[in-house]
């Protein structure tokens, strides 16, 4: 559920609407009409994000933003104002606002902004421990292998410097965890950490996401928008999957790295930015450079310091530690407690090649825990998952590859007349995967997961219960 959202808004209708929308989305909410009291709550409390109005008696929202940026710089603050000018928008972001919204508020725009702020808060405040110890409530870089010891040494060497960092590793190895660890152990740890997944944003929107846009810059640009570079001024920006960026945008990014200025889409002004860049990729950038798909000069600008994350198959001795960690983490989240697992099962897991790396192992362990409902996990349970589960079957091609593999297997079995319900089985497998992923991302918050999936909470609960995934049915 997170730590909750603080709403500071003197207008009763807006305050009530924001509170109702956020609570319906699964966020705990504290609301305050008085600016001074609200600011004191923000400074003294433990919130994931703050939403504040602009026109407040005694102290305006811009002052709240500026004070929080100075005293609580890692607390994302969203400012909402009526009939806002472009000057106010720019002042808000320069003062440290995570985002700026125009009144009357759009419900979905508010929820999206808050979701991004909460995610950013988790990235900044949830520690990434460089240890093999088990911590259910935080992310941990786990491994005692020689390969992981080298990663820890690289982190210790690189983090305190201002150098641009390129993190390389296959999909599922944990590049964002490494980026967060660099940030948390670096000289800008007191400032925000802003992350952008370049592969998850359409090409035509990525430039605006990074650099912002002026009002009227393109169809739908109804107001000025501040990009991630300006948000990360004096802070850290993580550009994940940099290899998926098109060459035109690569050229603009190179200019930013060289000149330390940006231009918003549709604008001509050079805006200075001081940002530490951490980039990540699973792609072979050298091969892409040879094919003209990635700029060599950008590669050398990014590759000032480099960390190579080993694939899981190269450190099988770390698999039992990872399994123990995931069982503790998901057992706590799903209310099952930490189940036991047999030595034979650990040996079976350690013998796999894990083309999807740590992320794939995590999915298999989570599914095994749900299938066994908190009781001891045996070799037969895991072997069945490895043979039939889409995420367990997936290779470097991702979930679509796993579903294709499962579809072929089911049709083969149907052709041999071993089963007669192939359609129902693959629908169930895909739905389980979707429900599992949504629940994991929502950290067990069913209201939030239901909203993401476009389901009512009753429908989600019914499906979870049917699959034996309902929290009550998962308790010992």
């Amino acid at each position: 559920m997170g730590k909750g959202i603080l709403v500071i808004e003197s207008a009763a209708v807006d305050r009530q609407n924001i509170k109702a929308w956020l609570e319906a989305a699964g966020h705990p909410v504290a609301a305050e009409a008085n600016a001074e009291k609200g600011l004191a709550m923000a400074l003294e409390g433990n919130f994931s994000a703050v939403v504040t109005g602009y026109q407040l008696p005694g102290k305006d929202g811009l002052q709240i933003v500026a004070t929080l940026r100075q005293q609580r710089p890692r607390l994302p603050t969203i400012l909402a104002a009526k009939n806002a000018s472009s000057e106010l928008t720019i002042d808000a972001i320069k003062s440290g606002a995570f985002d700026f919204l125009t009144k009357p508020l759009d419900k979905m725009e508010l929820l999206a902004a808050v979701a991004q702020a909460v995610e950013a808060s988790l990235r900044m405040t949830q520690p990434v421990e460089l240890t093999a110890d088990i911590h259910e409530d935080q992310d941990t870089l786990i491994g005692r292998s020689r390969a992981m010891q080298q990663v820890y040494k690289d982190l210790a060497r690189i983090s305190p410097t201002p150098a641009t960092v390129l993190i390389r590793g296959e999909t599922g190895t944990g590049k964002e965890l490494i980026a967060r660890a660099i940030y948390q152990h670096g000289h800008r740890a007191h400032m925000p950490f802003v992350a952008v997944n370049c592969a998850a944003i359409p090409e035509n929107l990525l430039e605006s996401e990074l650099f912002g846009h002026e009002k009227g810059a393109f169809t739908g640009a109804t107001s000025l928008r501040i990009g991630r570079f300006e948000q990360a001024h004096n802070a850290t920006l993580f550009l994940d999957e940099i290899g998926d960026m098109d060459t035109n945008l690569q050229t603009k990014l190179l200019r930013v790295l060289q000149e330390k200025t940006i231009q918003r889409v549709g604008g001509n002004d050079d805006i200075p930015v001081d940002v530490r860049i951490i980039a990540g990729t699973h792609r072979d950038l050298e091969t892409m450079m040879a094919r003209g798909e990635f700029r060599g000069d950008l590669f050398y600008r990014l590759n000032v310091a480099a960390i190579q994350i080993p694939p899981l198959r190269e450190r099988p001795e770390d698999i039992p530690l990872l399994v123990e960690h995931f069982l503790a983490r998901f057992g706590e989240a799903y209310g099952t407690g930490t189940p036991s697992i047999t030595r034979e099962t650990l040996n079976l897991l350690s013998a796999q090649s894990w083309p999807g790396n740590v992320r794939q192992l995590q999915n298999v362990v989570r599914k095994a825990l749900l299938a066994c409902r908190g009781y001891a996990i045996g070799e037969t349970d895991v072997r069945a998952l490895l043979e039939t589960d889409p995420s367990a079957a997936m290779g470097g091609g991702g979930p679509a590859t796993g579903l294709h593999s499962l579809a072929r297997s089911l049709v083969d079995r149907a052709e041999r007349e071993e089963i007669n319900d192939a359609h129902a089985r693959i629908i169930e497998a895909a739905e389980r995967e979707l429900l599992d992923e949504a629940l994991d991302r929502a950290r067990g918050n069913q209201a939030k997961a239901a909203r993401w999936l476009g389901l009512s909470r009753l429908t989600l609960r019914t499906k979870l219960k049917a699959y034996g995934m309902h929290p009550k049915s998962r308790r010992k």
Side-chain angles (χ1 to χ4, degrees):
M1 297 258 312
K3 303 170 187 174
I5 311 299
L6 173 62
V7 177
I8 308 172
E9 176 57 73
S10 59
V13 173
D14 286 339
R15 186 173 65 252
Q16 292 164 6
N17 283 341
I18 295 171
K19 187 174 187 292
W21 293 342
L22 293 175
E23 287 180 338
H27 297 287
V29 179
E32 176 55 56
N34 182 278
E36 292 287 354
K37 290 182 180 179
L39 179 58
M41 291 173 65
L43 291 172
E44 298 168 6
N46 190 19
F47 297 98
S48 292
V50 174
V51 179
T52 180
Y54 174 65
Q55 294 176 320
L56 304 171
K59 187 183 291 288
D60 67 37
L62 203 57
Q63 292 173 296
I64 291 177
V65 168
T67 302
L68 291 179
R69 178 70 167 203
Q70 184 178 19
Q71 299 187 40
R72 295 286 303 276
R74 296 199 298 177
L75 176 61
T77 305
I78 298 168
L79 179 65
K82 186 177 181 181
N83 300 324
S85 64
S86 59
E87 289 79 10
L88 178 58
T89 305
I90 294 170
D91 286 344
I93 299 301
K94 284 185 175 180
S95 296
F98 178 83
D99 207 342
F100 183 91
L101 303 179
T102 302
K103 293 183 179 181
L105 290 170
D106 178 81
K107 176 182 176 181
M108 298 313 297
E109 185 180 15
L110 172 71
L111 293 177
V114 169
Q116 288 183 340
V118 170
E119 184 178 0
S121 179
L122 284 172
R123 286 187 177 121
M124 288 185 280
T125 60
Q126 185 164 311
V128 178
E129 292 294 321
L130 310 183
T131 176
D133 295 334
I134 303 302
H135 298 275
E136 297 94 341
D137 60 343
Q138 63 191 45
D139 289 324
T140 309
L141 285 169
I142 293 175
R144 297 192 181 109
S145 61
R146 184 181 298 274
M148 285 304 294
Q149 292 299 322
Q150 183 59 52
V151 171
Y152 301 152
K153 291 177 184 177
D154 291 339
L155 274 169
R157 174 176 54 85
I158 292 171
S159 296
T161 75
T164 301
V165 185
L166 181 61
I167 304 171
R168 310 185 72 170
E170 295 178 6
T171 298
T173 50
K175 291 185 286 295
E176 184 177 325
L177 273 184
I178 296 291
R180 283 173 50 202
I182 294 170
Y183 156 72
Q184 290 175 2
H185 291 81
H187 67 294
R188 300 192 184 198
H190 63 291
M191 298 299 288
F193 175 82
V194 180
V196 178
N197 187 330
C198 299
I201 302 173
E203 288 183 8
N204 62 323
L205 298 179
L206 183 56
E207 182 178 359
S208 174
E209 181 74 14
L210 292 176
F211 307 132
H213 61 252
E214 300 287 347
K215 181 178 180 180
F218 49 83
T219 302
T222 56
S223 61
L224 182 146
R225 183 72 176 176
I226 300 299
R228 297 302 184 184
F229 267 91
E230 285 184 82
Q231 287 185 0
H233 182 57
N234 292 327
T236 302
L237 177 63
F238 175 47
L239 299 175
D240 197 10
E241 300 303 352
I242 195 76
D244 289 54
M245 183 180 288
D246 70 64
T247 53
N248 180 55
L249 196 50
Q250 289 174 29
T251 302
K252 296 182 179 180
L253 176 59
L254 177 63
R255 177 182 179 274
V256 174
L257 294 177
Q258 290 173 334
E259 302 181 14
K260 299 188 183 304
T261 63
I262 65 161
Q263 284 186 354
R264 300 191 194 106
V265 177
N268 297 313
D269 294 335
D270 288 332
I271 302 166
V273 289
D274 179 8
V275 178
R276 183 185 190 180
I277 300 292
I278 303 174
T281 185
H282 72 282
R283 295 188 179 276
D284 183 346
L285 296 185
E286 287 82 358
T287 299
M288 292 180 67
M289 282 163 35
R291 294 198 299 250
E293 298 171 354
F294 198 86
R295 292 187 60 121
D297 43 8
L298 177 59
F299 172 79
Y300 296 117
R301 281 278 182 176
L302 294 172
N303 198 38
V304 175
I307 291 182
Q308 182 72 45
I309 311 177
L312 192 53
R313 62 182 174 275
E314 292 181 5
R315 54 184 188 108
E317 61 269 42
D318 290 335
I319 289 176
L321 296 171
L322 287 160
V323 171
E324 183 183 358
H325 172 71
F326 292 140
L327 286 177
R329 174 181 169 185
F330 294 126
E332 174 72 17
Y334 297 153
T336 64
T338 304
S340 60
I341 186 167
T342 66
R343 172 54 55 185
E344 293 76 17
T345 307
L346 285 175
N347 291 339
L348 174 63
L349 291 169
S350 299
Q352 305 304 308
S353 61
W354 299 112
N357 291 294
V358 177
R359 186 181 301 156
Q360 183 186 0
L361 173 65
Q362 173 181 288
N363 283 341
V364 171
V365 171
R366 181 177 59 202
K367 293 177 192 307
L369 182 145
L370 289 172
C372 296
R373 305 188 184 191
Y375 295 99
I377 297 173
E379 185 178 0
T380 302
D381 305 308
V382 170
R383 195 177 295 279
L385 278 174
L386 292 170
E387 290 175 353
T388 63
D389 187 82
S391 68
M394 82 177 185
T401 304
L403 283 173
H404 178 68
S405 175
L406 179 60
R408 291 184 59 184
S409 173
L410 290 172
V411 173
D412 285 345
R413 293 178 65 189
E415 189 176 20
R416 296 193 299 268
E417 299 185 351
E418 296 176 4
I419 60 172
N420 61 1
D421 59 347
H423 179 265
R425 291 189 183 216
I426 197 167
I427 293 298
E428 177 180 338
E431 190 165 48
R432 279 180 176 272
E433 179 77 10
L434 188 62
L435 296 176
D436 274 353
E437 184 65 24
L439 279 173
D440 183 43
R441 296 279 188 92
R443 297 177 178 265
N445 185 327
Q446 292 186 37
K448 186 179 293 186
R451 175 166 56 83
W452 291 346
L453 296 172
L455 302 174
S456 69
R457 277 180 279 184
L458 177 61
T459 300
L460 177 63
R461 285 197 294 269
T462 301
K463 289 180 179 293
L464 294 176
K465 189 171 183 179
Y467 292 141
M469 297 165 62
H470 193 280
K472 291 183 180 179
S473 68
R474 289 200 295 266
R475 296 186 183 274
K476 289 184 179 179

